[in-house]
Amino acid sequence: MESKIKLLDQMRAVLRLKHRSLRTEEAYLNWVKRFILFHDKRHPKELGAPEIRAFLTYLAVHEQAGASTQNGALYALLFLYRHVLQQPILNLQDIERAKRPRRVPTVFAREEVHAVLTHLSGVQRLMANLLYGAGLQLMECVRLRVKDVDVASHHIIVRDEQGGQDRVTILPQSVEAALQRHLAKVKLLHEEDLLEGYGDVDMPSALARKHPHASTSWEWQYVFPAAKRSRDPHSGLERRHHVSETVLQRAVKNAMRRAGIQKGGSCKTLRHSFATHLLESGYDIRTVQELLGHKNVRTTMVYRHMLQDGEKAVRSPLDLL
């Protein structure tokens, strides 16, 4: 079992070297543990494509895992073999990735968005306003840094933490005053942390080495910090991390319930509604694609099926009788 522990430690080190998030790190390590246990604790060096296929088949058939779960397991194992063991997997082309079913996203009508936002207050309402008003994903919102909010130019820079391309999206002018009041409170909190000998925030590794004092600067702080400081699992330092995403998830669910909205929905529904309502307002699909950060316009095309108004809306023949 000692070799297994060393392997997982080695994988953890490579994941951190490649700046994978803590969530990805935990998920990948968990899948590798399950893969090893599934094959009677044999070392992955002794295994290959047939064993990976058998594991994925077990997940699909016996555990009835969805496509995203199967693909998550596959990506973890591919990372292990490619970047940790540096061992090519033969017949890799025979391992089929599970296809996600194409589903039409749930979208709120404009009055439903208003009802949800009305039943939110404080920081949760401000965050929800950004999900809908700027088309942010949940984690993009909670990870937002002060330096990436440009009130003067009315835009937000969304950083891609996985090394991809950053994007620029709109900052709703209707929330700018509330956002500035919020940032003033956050700055006071940061100054209190500094006076107590803290105020350090986690930074991308390369920047942390190049600018060792930047982690205590105001511009690198989170826009939505946690209420309490906590111990960083990577560095062991006591820091103020960003607010947990579950705080906003619960608040939005409760707001939907109080608003009497029966359809399924979540924080992501606010982003879906952002895209759909922009198309309804006549903005071209390429603009919406850029604001959402979709690499392929076909991903954005799904929102065209949700259009309810406008000259191009399809009307039922019954309504024309």
Side-chain angles (χ1 to χ4, degrees):
M1 191 65 187
E2 183 180 356
S3 60
K4 306 293 190 302
I5 297 174
K6 289 183 178 179
L7 174 65
L8 295 177
D9 287 341
Q10 183 182 1
M11 184 169 181
R12 182 180 291 105
V14 176
L15 282 163
R16 294 182 181 182
L17 181 65
K18 292 185 174 294
H19 313 304
R20 295 298 193 266
S21 67
L22 181 61
R23 176 179 298 187
T24 299
E25 176 183 315
E26 292 173 347
Y28 277 23
L29 291 173
N30 181 61
W31 280 123
V32 171
K33 290 177 187 176
R34 291 189 60 180
F35 178 64
I36 293 172
L37 292 173
F38 178 79
H39 289 292
D40 301 321
K41 299 184 180 180
R42 293 170 61 192
H43 197 282
K45 283 185 177 181
E46 304 173 7
L47 311 174
E51 288 77 17
I52 293 177
R53 192 181 302 108
F55 179 59
L56 296 177
T57 300
Y58 170 80
L59 293 178
V61 176
H62 295 278
E63 296 196 359
Q64 298 183 336
S68 60
T69 300
Q70 295 175 53
N71 287 332
L74 176 59
Y75 295 147
L77 296 175
L78 292 180
F79 187 94
L80 169 68
Y81 280 93
R82 289 173 176 171
H83 301 294
V84 181
L85 298 177
Q86 298 183 343
Q87 175 179 320
I89 304 175
L90 300 178
N91 302 319
L92 180 61
Q93 64 277 9
D94 295 335
I95 301 178
E96 294 186 3
R97 288 167 172 78
K99 295 182 179 179
R100 296 184 179 181
R102 185 178 179 183
R103 303 188 187 280
V104 176
T106 300
V107 172
F108 292 141
R110 294 174 190 267
E111 56 270 21
E112 290 175 327
V113 172
H114 182 265
V116 170
L117 296 178
T118 300
H119 284 86
L120 291 168
S121 61
V123 177
Q124 285 77 41
R125 179 164 184 168
L126 179 57
M127 295 176 73
N129 276 328
L130 292 180
L131 297 187
Y132 174 67
L136 298 182
Q137 296 185 45
L138 174 61
M139 295 309 299
E140 290 173 346
C141 183
V142 300
R143 290 172 177 162
L144 200 59
R145 308 265 188 168
V146 172
K147 68 182 182 63
D148 295 325
V149 177
D150 191 335
V151 176
S153 299
H154 315 297
H155 72 241
I156 296 172
I157 300 176
V158 182
R159 305 292 180 182
D160 189 334
E161 295 194 349
Q162 299 301 326
Q165 293 185 345
D166 300 337
R167 77 177 193 276
V168 177
T169 188
I170 50 180
L171 172 61
Q173 296 185 37
S174 58
V175 305
E176 288 178 357
L179 182 59
Q180 287 181 316
R181 290 193 297 270
H182 168 74
L183 288 175
K185 294 178 182 178
V186 174
K187 190 171 185 179
L188 288 176
L189 183 64
H190 175 56
E191 291 173 351
E192 290 177 4
D193 284 344
L194 290 174
L195 289 174
E196 295 177 9
Y198 299 99
D200 183 86
V201 72
D202 61 298
M203 297 273 290
S205 299
L207 285 173
R209 292 191 297 270
K210 187 175 181 180
H211 305 289
H213 301 295
S215 61
T216 57
S217 64
W218 163 237
E219 59 267 23
W220 273 100
Q221 302 304 307
Y222 288 113
V223 173
F224 301 107
K228 297 180 179 180
R229 294 190 297 264
S230 59
R231 187 74 58 184
D232 189 310
H234 286 174
S235 65
L237 298 175
E238 184 175 334
R239 290 170 164 168
R240 192 176 297 278
H241 201 46
H242 58 66
V243 66
S244 172
E245 66 273 18
T246 59
V247 173
L248 184 56
Q249 288 173 325
R250 287 195 299 265
V252 169
K253 283 291 187 181
N254 290 334
M256 288 176 57
R257 178 177 49 80
R258 292 195 298 270
I261 297 176
Q262 302 301 317
K263 65 176 69 172
S266 64
C267 291
K268 195 169 186 177
T269 308
L270 293 171
R271 173 175 158 91
H272 292 325
S273 303
F274 162 84
T276 303
H277 295 167
L278 281 180
L279 291 173
E280 286 179 351
S281 299
Y283 290 94
D284 67 275
I285 198 164
R286 291 289 183 180
T287 298
V288 177
Q289 176 194 0
E290 291 178 3
L291 292 173
L292 292 173
H294 289 162
K295 293 181 180 179
N296 193 319
V297 72
R298 289 200 292 181
T299 306
T300 318
M301 288 287 288
V302 69
Y303 297 110
R304 297 190 64 177
H305 298 294
M306 306 305 298
L307 299 183
Q308 300 296 325
D309 303 313
E311 297 178 357
K312 297 183 180 180
V314 177
R315 296 183 63 190
S316 169
L318 180 63
D319 295 335
L320 299 177
L321 290 179

